[in-house]
Amino acid sequence: MTWTATKAIRIALLDDHAVVRHGLATRLTEESDFEVVGAYAASKDMMAALRALPADILLIDYSLGANDIDGLNLIRALKVRFPDSKILVSSSHYNPATVALAMRAGARGFVGKEQELSELIAAVRSVAVGRVHLNPLMAAEISSMLSSNGSDEESANGDSLTDNVELSPREREVLRCCLEGMSVTQIAEKFARSVKTISGQKQAAFRKLGVRNDNELFKIQHQLQDI
């Protein structure tokens, strides 16, 4: 009988925190079937490197530095530019709304940073063979959230609220960040605007959408398809 060596799963890491990035790279290389082909602090560096050194798994943080792309647009960009790579998200922004948005945008798995590393390692292997990976509890929360919000007429029609609401580009940016779990202060730092300006843009967007707070925004996130 002839034995064939299993091809290593090539992983590219993206995280703007150096300690996290190097810690993950070190731990993942301990797995005999993993090969870390690169570890990057910025999305542009990762994208530039992937053209010459492709990866099977793109393990990315969802909320990067203030000057980097937001999580949803990063997933969409990676999916378009590197269609042969599978996207796995690891983030501290671990709530049903954020996870659902990431999966809809093209991620194949999502692991919270507070979860055990063994879960992340299992997720890499699962996503590498074409499966979707979500913690069962998170999957149940998302299912419950979507079913509780999916009975209204707009959802049934597949309409997006943003088709009928005139949101400015900056209001859309702020809403995307809110759905990623970012605070007004964090959004202000990301876009180099004042907290007062961001707060005003957030409240203007809320008024246009007819919501009063973050919880109500998350409840209608399925109607914000193209935000």
Side-chain angles (χ1 to χ4, degrees):
M1 180 180 291
T2 302
W3 294 94
T4 303
T6 302
K7 183 181 177 183
I9 300 170
R10 298 167 300 172
I11 305 166
L13 294 173
L14 174 62
D15 197 298
D16 61 320
H17 293 92
V19 172
V20 175
R21 189 169 64 251
H22 294 306
L24 277 176
T26 299
R27 177 63 186 89
L28 292 173
T29 54
E30 292 175 1
E31 300 296 313
S32 60
D33 55 334
F34 290 179
E35 177 188 357
V36 177
V37 298
Y40 312 97
S43 61
K44 62 181 177 56
D45 296 333
M46 179 189 233
M47 291 185 190
L50 285 171
R51 295 188 187 98
L53 196 63
D56 303 306
I57 300 291
L58 308 182
L59 178 55
I60 65 170
D61 191 3
Y62 195 69
S63 183
L64 299 169
N67 297 318
D68 214 324
I69 190 171
D70 66 85
L72 284 181
N73 281 324
L74 172 60
I75 292 170
R76 290 167 180 153
L78 290 172
K79 186 178 178 183
V80 169
R81 296 184 191 185
F82 308 101
D84 295 330
S85 300
K86 298 178 177 68
I87 301 166
L88 174 60
V89 180
S90 176
S91 179
S92 56
H93 295 297
Y94 192 58
N95 58 71
T98 299
V99 175
L101 285 168
M103 300 299 283
R104 179 183 293 156
R108 299 292 294 169
F110 200 117
V111 178
K113 283 189 174 178
E114 69 275 18
Q115 293 177 263
E116 297 292 333
L117 276 172
S118 58
E119 172 119 11
L120 181 63
I121 290 167
V124 170
R125 292 197 174 104
S126 183
V127 170
V129 297
R131 293 196 291 264
V132 170
H133 183 93
L134 282 180
N135 179 280
L137 291 176
M138 176 56 72
E141 286 188 53
I142 292 173
S143 178
S144 176
M145 179 187 71
L146 294 179
S147 63
S148 66
N149 293 334
S151 59
D152 58 81
E153 186 175 343
E154 281 183 301
S155 178
N157 292 337
D159 291 341
S160 171
L161 280 178
T162 51
D163 290 339
N164 303 309
V165 175
E166 291 296 326
L167 293 170
S168 73
R170 291 197 168 185
E171 288 167 355
R172 289 172 184 267
E173 285 178 343
V174 171
L175 286 179
R176 279 199 298 269
C177 291
C178 289
L179 288 167
E180 290 177 18
M182 295 175 67
S183 68
V184 168
T185 300
Q186 289 172 323
I187 300 170
E189 291 174 354
K190 180 177 178 67
F191 295 115
R193 299 176 208 154
S194 71
V195 170
K196 182 178 180 181
T197 296
I198 295 297
S199 181
Q201 291 166 343
K202 178 179 178 179
Q203 292 307 314
F206 275 21
R207 283 195 298 274
K208 291 177 182 180
L209 292 173
V211 299
R212 293 168 294 180
N213 52 50
D214 288 349
N215 286 338
E216 291 187 2
L217 177 67
F218 284 130
K219 287 181 180 178
I220 65 164
Q221 58 86 23
H222 64 289
Q223 296 177 40
L224 306 176
Q225 297 167 2
D226 302 314
I227 201 166

